[in-house]
C-alpha cells in the first residue's frame, strides 16, 4: 500500500471518529483563485485542500419558515465553532505526523467590499467531489443538498485527491420560488449576489441577529433527506 493510501485511510478514520458527515480531498492546483489576504508563497507550500462539512439539523431548518430566527443563528454559530475546532485538531494531527497544515475559519470575511474569505469552501468542496454549485449558488451534496456547512484545511501531506462529480441540479427548481429576494434564477450564472446580500442585511438588522444569514434556500435544498 502506498503512503498516499495509508494517509487517506487515516484521515477517513479520523473524520469518522469526530463524527464529520462529509469530506473529500481537492487537488489545490485546480483552485485557480488567489488566497485572499495571504501571499502566493503560501499556496505554493500546499498541494491538497481537505474539505469537510457538518449537516445542519433538520429540526432547526424546520423552524426557518419566513427567514432566520434566534435558534437558527445559534445553530449556525455552533456549527461554525465545531468546524473551526475540527480544522484545528485535524491540523495538529497532520503536524504531529511531520507535515504542514493550514486551517481556515468556517465563516470569516476578510474582504467586505468584495464579500470574500481567504478561500472559498464551496469551490474547494466542488473540486473535492463533494457536490456541485447549484442554482442557489450553494454547494449541493447529492444526499444532503445544501444543508451542510463547510470548512477547509490545506496540507502538503501526500494524499489521493478525489475527482469533481459530473452531476448538477438537473430539473430541480425548489429554491427558485422560495427566495425572498428573487435572487435565484433558472440559469445558475444569473444568481443575483447583490439582491441576496441586501436581503440578508435586512434580516440582520430587522431581526437583530448581528450576522448576514437567511436559511430559506438552504431549507428548500434537501437532497435526499
Ligand atoms: C462572504 C460570504 C457570504 C456573503 C456573500 C456571498 C458571496 N457573494 O459569495 C453573504 C453575506 C451575502 C453570504 C450569504 C450567505 N451565505 Co455565505 N459565506 C460567505 C463566505 C464567508 C465567503 C465566500 C466567498 O469568499 N465568496 C467569494 C466568491 C467569489 O466565492 P464563492 O462564491 O464562495 O466561490 C465561487 C467563486 O470563487 C468561483 N471560483 C473559485 N475558483 C474558481 C475557479 C474557476 C476556474 C472558476 C470558473 C470559478 C471559481 O466558484 C465558486 C463557487 O461558485 C463563505 C465561507 C467561505 N470561506 O467560503 C460563506 C458560505 C459561502 N456561506 C454559506 C451560506 C450557507 C450562506 C447563506 C445561506 C446564509 C446562511 N448561513 O443562512 C447565505 C446565502 C448565500 C447564497 N445563496 O449564495 C455557506 C455555504 C454552504 C453551502 N452548502 O454551500 C458558506 C460556505 C459558509 C460555510 N462555512 O459553510 N455569504
Amino acid at each position: 500500500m502506498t503512503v498516499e493510501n495509508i494517509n487517506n485511510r487515516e484521515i477517513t478514520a479520523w473524520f469518522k471518529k469526530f463524527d464529520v458527515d462529509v469530506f473529500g480531498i481537492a487537488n489545490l492546483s485546480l483552485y485557480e483563485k488567489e488566497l485572499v489576504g495571504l501571499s502566493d508563497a503560501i499556496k505554493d507550500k500546499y498541494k491538497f485542500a481537505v474539505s469537510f462539512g457538518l449537516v445542519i439539523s433538520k429540526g432547526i431548518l424546520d423552524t426557518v419558515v419566513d427567514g432566520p430566527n434566534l435558534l437558527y443563528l445559534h445553530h449556525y454559530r455552533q456549527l461554525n465553532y465545531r468546524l473551526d475546532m475540527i480544522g484545528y485538531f485535524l491540523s495538529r494531527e497532520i503536524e504531529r505526523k511531520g507535515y504542514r497544515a493550514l486551517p481556515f475559519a468556517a465563516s470569516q470575511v476578510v474582504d467586505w467590499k468584495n464579500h470574500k474569505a481567504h478561500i472559498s469552501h464551496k469551490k474547494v468542496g466542488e473540486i473535492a467531489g463533494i457536490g456541485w454549485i447549484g442554482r442557489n449558488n450553494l454547494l449541493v451534496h447529492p444526499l444532503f443538498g445544501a444543508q451542510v456547512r463547510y470548512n477547509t484545511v490545506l496540507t502538503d501531506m501526500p494524499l489521493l485527491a478525489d475527482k469533481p462529480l459530473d452531476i448538477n441540479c438537473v430539473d430541480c427548481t425548489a429554491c427558485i420560488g422560495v427566495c425572498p429576494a428573487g435572487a435565484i434564477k433558472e440559469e445558475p450564472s444569473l444568481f443575483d449576489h447583490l439582491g441576496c446580500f441586501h436581503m440578508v442585511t435586512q434580516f440582520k438588522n430587522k431581526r437583530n441577529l448581528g450576522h448576514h444569514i437567511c436559511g430559506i434556500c438552504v431549507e428548500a435544498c434537501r437532497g435526499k433527506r
Side-chain angles (χ1 to χ4, degrees):
M1 204 188 284
T2 64
V3 66
E4 285 85 356
N5 274 308
I6 294 170
N7 289 340
N8 271 53
R9 275 189 176 202
E10 284 183 4
I11 287 221
T12 303
W14 191 90
F15 276 134
K16 293 217 162 114
K17 195 173 88 189
F18 276 78
D19 204 19
V20 172
D21 297 295
V22 302
F23 52 88
I25 293 160
N27 181 337
L28 191 57
S29 68
L30 299 177
Y31 186 85
E32 292 169 2
K33 299 260 170 189
E34 57 165 337
L35 295 180
V36 179
L38 298 171
S39 87
D40 286 348
I42 293 207
K43 203 173 161 188
D44 296 338
K45 284 184 188 163
Y46 299 96
K47 205 169 164 210
F48 300 102
V50 184
S51 174
F52 51 94
L54 297 176
V55 169
I56 304 170
S57 149
K58 182 104 197 62
I60 297 284
L61 284 171
D62 284 347
T63 71
V64 178
V65 179
D66 64 348
N69 57 44
L70 288 172
L71 202 53
Y72 178 68
L73 170 70
H74 181 70
H75 192 64
Y76 158 91
R77 292 171 64 179
Q78 290 303 304
L79 287 183
N80 287 344
Y81 174 73
R82 217 182 126 214
L83 284 164
D84 287 354
M85 285 298 108
I86 291 166
Y88 167 72
F89 285 118
L90 174 63
S91 299
R92 287 291 295 122
E93 180 77 5
I94 292 172
E95 285 173 351
R96 260 186 234 114
K97 291 182 191 296
Y99 301 108
R100 288 179 204 270
L102 177 61
F104 288 102
S107 194
Q108 180 191 39
V109 180
V110 296
D111 173 359
W112 266 110
K113 193 164 156 260
N114 299 302
H115 297 152
K116 285 187 180 178
H118 290 297
I119 192 163
S120 165
H121 301 320
K122 289 187 294 186
K123 187 66 200 172
V124 171
E126 189 185 30
I127 303 168
I130 284 178
W132 63 92
I133 306 299
R135 291 193 168 91
N136 53 13
N137 189 43
L138 296 173
L139 181 65
V140 181
H141 183 278
L143 274 181
F144 303 117
Q147 303 185 345
V148 185
R149 291 190 67 73
Y150 293 94
N151 200 354
T152 306
V153 167
L154 303 189
T155 185
D156 63 356
M157 183 162 85
L159 290 165
L160 298 171
D162 294 295
K163 293 202 167 44
L165 301 180
D166 192 19
I167 42 177
N168 57 34
C169 300
V170 195
D171 54 1
C172 178
T173 54
C175 56
I176 295 183
V178 296
C179 175
I184 306 172
K185 319 287 179 197
E186 184 86 34
E187 169 53 46
S189 64
L190 295 180
F191 180 85
D192 177 5
H193 290 274
L194 227 55
C196 171
F197 181 64
H198 285 142
M199 185 51 68
V200 293
T201 305
Q202 269 190 44
F203 281 140
K204 170 180 172 272
N205 296 335
K206 289 195 179 148
R207 299 193 179 192
N208 203 18
L209 299 169
H211 287 266
H212 292 87
I213 54 172
C214 173
I216 294 180
C217 65
V218 176
E219 196 285 321
C221 184
R222 299 172 193 158
K224 296 191 171 22
R225 282 183 105 181

